[in-house]
Amino acid sequence: MADDLKSIDVPKEVFGLYDAYCHGDLSRRAFFDGLARYAVGGLTVSMLAACVLPDYGRVQTTEGAEADLVEETVTYASPNGAGEMSGYLVRPAGAKGKLAGIVVVHENRGLNPHIRDVARRAAKAGYAAFAPDALYPLGGYPGNDDDGRALQAQRAAPEMIEDFMAAAEFLRNHEATNGRIACTGFCFGGAVTNIMAVRQPWLKASVPYYGGWPPVEDAVKVEVPLQIHLAGDDERVNAGWPTYEAALKAAGKPYEVFIYEGCQHGFHNDTTPRFNPEAAALAWSRTLDFFARHLA
């Protein structure tokens, strides 16, 4: 059936329904009720759902299978957050000397297979990558995004932000790193990395993907170089960008922004049909170039 789905021209409004659902603005029932309006011309609700819901079988994961990576699950202290946290630490095997580090911040559903795969990509580029799981205090990522989303909604956002900031401190002091740390994140994680750039001025770079914005009065506090990636068809996130950009400009803060026209929110995630391979490859190459400039 996966091959059949490739030929379906998914209405833009269906992606909008999924965006509202995955960000908690629609219940699962309301999401499927909404899909029913577009189940015409041979399309069924289940087919439309399969077109937009994540499918981790679409992408081959390599966890635990590659001799050139060292992968481990570690715990760390988060005294201002959950107390104890856990994350996925991955780095090149046989690295000579200490490495720069990258914190990878997940979306609003916990440390799912896609984010773990992003961490491995960063490790393959020569970094010690650390992807925390905000769901660890609730038992960890439950194996599917629906339950993960529901679990993450039970946690307070300020506490989770402290957990990710503690992860950066943990990586900064880890024996495998040289203390030069950057961060990247997606959606919820993009918002977190924007906040980390405000509150952790010692970071060397922050690369948020389609994340929400800090209060405009915080722009003056940014000392971390920003590289911002936005989807062209993402009204919810993009609505706040002009105001925040104006504040960054007024404060003379370092940033660059790339907007990928015609792309949906989540275009970097290769487990959903919102994935745009060309834009994702370009954005990731820009991300790695940015890290190379600021972590060298």
Side-chain angles (χ1 to χ4, degrees), residues 82-98:
E84 182 181 82
M85 277 288 293
S86 176
Y88 174 56
L89 179 64
V90 56
R91 57 196 185 274
K96 305 297 183 183
K98 295 180 180 292

Side-chain angles (χ1 to χ4, degrees), residues 2 4 37 61 66 71 76 87 92 101 108 116 144 168 176 185 202 255 258 276:
D4 295 337
R37 298 197 299 270
T61 59
E66 298 192 47
E71 305 167 72
Y76 66 96
N108 68 335
R116 298 175 81 95
N144 68 84
W202 55 266
Y255 78 92
F258 299 100
N276 183 300

Side-chain angles (χ1 to χ4, degrees), residues 46-95:
S46 61
M47 290 170 67
L48 288 171
C51 283
V52 293
L53 291 171
D55 177 6
Y56 296 118
R58 290 177 178 148
V59 179
Q60 181 179 3
T61 59
T62 58
E63 187 169 346
E66 298 192 47
D68 59 343
L69 295 178
V70 176
E71 305 167 72
E72 56 184 326
T73 297
V74 300
T75 57
Y76 66 96
S78 178
N80 297 317
E84 182 181 82
M85 277 288 293
S86 176
Y88 174 56
L89 179 64
V90 56
R91 57 196 185 274

Side-chain angles (χ1 to χ4, degrees), residues 5-44:
L5 296 177
K6 294 178 182 178
S7 62
I8 295 175
D9 185 13
V10 180
K12 182 178 179 180
E13 293 81 3
V14 170
F15 285 111
L17 286 169
Y18 173 71
D19 188 66
Y21 167 56
C22 73
H23 292 99
D25 298 325
L26 281 181
S27 68
R28 184 175 179 85
R29 178 174 180 177
F31 169 61
F32 278 92
D33 286 347
L35 291 182
R37 298 197 299 270
Y38 302 96
V40 296
L43 292 178
T44 66

Side-chain angles (χ1 to χ4, degrees), residues 1 58 61 92 106 142 191 230 256 290-291:
M1 182 170 178
R58 290 177 178 148
T61 59
H106 60 65
L230 299 173
E256 56 188 48
F290 194 69
F291 286 152

Side-chain angles (χ1 to χ4, degrees), residues 23 107-109 185-192 209-212 236 265:
H23 292 99
E107 299 155 299
N108 68 335
R109 60 215 69 171
F186 306 84
C187 189
F188 164 81
V192 171
Y209 280 69
Y210 32 81
R236 179 181 55 84
H265 181 96

